[in-house]
């Protein structure tokens, strides 16, 4: 398929339809972990499609916000579209959430943060308008994004997002405990004069020439 955004969304939709139509929700929970089940295979393909988008994001320095709009543009915005699919296709908040969750589940917070940021932005816009196809939600995206920032060392932003979560779900005791923990850690960091940690991209040991390769791709893509 020529459009990788559409490819991801199609696999995600197939996985959702398979669970909702062929099986009952209760039945799918019993078989979803079986390696031979169609649901397991579809989830694996969905994760592969998400990781493929992350590779494109890295190699061509693509803007996640523009990708969600169906545009293959760089973060600098200095160049026109690097690629123009024949058919326009935009990602939903739930699509961005699932891509971010693939990275999150691998403890790859470098990639989970921008995708969860976009998911949160889109969920905020559509908040209150329930979409039956959505598996994620604003609260879930805020939860994952807050923890991603915490693991990346940005406690102040993790605190801010956790407080926003409590605005929507004030009775959530786990998040309330997180807020208290983040506030305590921030006070400690301020007393010790610690600054924010820089978010580091996961190291790829099997590709020693990664930076040179990506620089070449970005230069060729801008021509």
């Amino acid at each position: 398929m020529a459009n990788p955004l559409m490819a991801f969304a199609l696999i995600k939709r197939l996985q959702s339809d398979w669970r909702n139509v062929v099986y009952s929700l209760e039945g799918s929970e019993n078989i979803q972990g079986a390696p031979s089940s169609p649901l397991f295979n579809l989830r694996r393909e969905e994760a592969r499609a998400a990781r493929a988008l992350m590779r494109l994001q890295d190699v061509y320095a693509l803007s996640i916000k523009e990708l969600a709009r169906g545009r293959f543009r760089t973060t600098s915005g200095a160049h026109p579209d690097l690629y123009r699919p024949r058919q326009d296709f935009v990602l939903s908040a739930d699509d961005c959430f699932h891509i971010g969750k693939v990275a999150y589940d691998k403890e790859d917070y470098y990639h989970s943060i921008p995708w969860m940021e976009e998911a949160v932005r889109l969920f905020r816009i559509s908040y209150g308008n329930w979409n039956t196809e959505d598996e994620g939600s604003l609260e879930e995206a805020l939860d994952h994004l807050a923890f991603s920032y915490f693991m990346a060392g940005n406690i102040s932003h993790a605190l801010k997002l956790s407080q926003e979560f409590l605005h929507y779900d004030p009775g959530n005791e786990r998040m309330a405990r997180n807020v208290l923990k983040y506030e305590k850690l921030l006070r400690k960091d301020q007393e010790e004069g610690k600054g924010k940690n820089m978010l580091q991209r996961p190291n790829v040991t099997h590709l020693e020439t990664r930076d040179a390769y990506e620089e070449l791709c970005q230069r060729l893509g801008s021509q």
Side-chain angles (χ1 to χ4, degrees):
M1 184 174 292
N3 191 335
L5 301 174
M6 189 178 295
F8 168 80
L10 176 60
I11 296 171
K12 173 174 171 280
R13 178 65 181 270
L14 285 172
Q15 184 262 129
S16 177
D17 287 350
W18 182 270
R19 185 184 62 245
N20 293 331
V21 177
V22 179
Y23 295 98
S24 67
L25 181 59
E26 181 179 358
S28 70
E29 290 174 350
N30 293 331
I31 61 129
Q32 64 185 0
S36 60
S37 73
L39 184 59
F40 179 89
N41 292 330
L42 284 170
R43 285 188 169 177
R44 182 172 57 189
E45 291 304 314
E46 180 185 345
R48 286 176 177 172
R51 287 193 292 270
L53 286 173
M54 293 177 213
R55 286 195 294 272
L56 286 175
Q57 167 195 346
D58 290 341
V59 170
Y60 295 101
L62 297 177
S63 163
I64 302 303
K65 188 173 183 178
E66 293 295 336
L67 269 179
R69 293 174 174 173
R71 302 167 183 167
F72 292 76
R73 296 179 179 175
T74 62
T75 53
S76 66
H79 307 293
D81 293 356
L82 299 179
Y83 168 64
R84 294 182 180 179
R86 292 183 179 180
Q87 184 177 354
D88 291 337
F89 187 84
V90 298
L91 296 176
S92 67
D94 195 59
D95 292 333
C96 294
F97 172 77
H98 277 264
I99 296 171
K101 193 171 185 305
V102 168
Y104 179 93
D105 289 343
K106 292 291 185 180
E107 299 182 1
D108 175 7
Y109 305 113
Y110 177 88
H111 288 105
S112 71
I113 285 176
W115 284 104
M116 287 295 177
E117 284 275 16
E118 186 61 17
V120 165
R121 187 185 73 83
L122 294 173
F123 273 130
R124 283 172 179 155
I125 294 173
S126 62
Y127 191 76
N129 299 320
W130 185 57
N131 187 339
T132 56
E133 295 181 359
D134 287 352
E135 297 179 24
S137 65
L138 175 57
E139 291 85 347
E140 283 189 278
L142 285 168
D143 188 4
H144 285 75
L145 183 57
F147 188 75
S148 294
Y149 269 116
F150 169 67
M151 293 301 293
N154 192 335
I155 300 174
S156 61
H157 209 50
L159 173 60
K160 180 180 178 182
L161 292 163
S162 300
Q163 290 170 333
E164 182 180 351
F165 179 101
L166 287 176
H167 172 76
Y168 297 104
D169 186 4
N172 192 294
E173 296 181 0
R174 177 180 60 83
M175 193 59 69
R177 290 194 298 270
N178 284 351
V179 166
L180 293 175
K181 178 176 71 174
Y182 296 155
E183 289 175 339
K184 182 178 180 180
L185 288 172
L186 273 178
R187 287 194 297 269
K188 182 179 178 181
D189 286 351
Q190 290 170 357
E191 291 171 359
E192 297 177 355
K194 292 183 179 179
K196 295 180 181 178
N197 295 332
M198 293 295 294
L199 183 60
Q200 298 293 323
R201 181 177 171 186
N203 187 33
V204 180
T205 56
H206 66 274
L207 185 57
E208 297 179 356
T209 58
R210 181 186 68 183
D211 292 342
Y213 171 74
E214 292 179 358
E215 182 181 355
L216 176 62
C217 290
Q218 292 164 25
R219 186 164 63 246
L220 292 174
S222 65
Q223 294 177 354

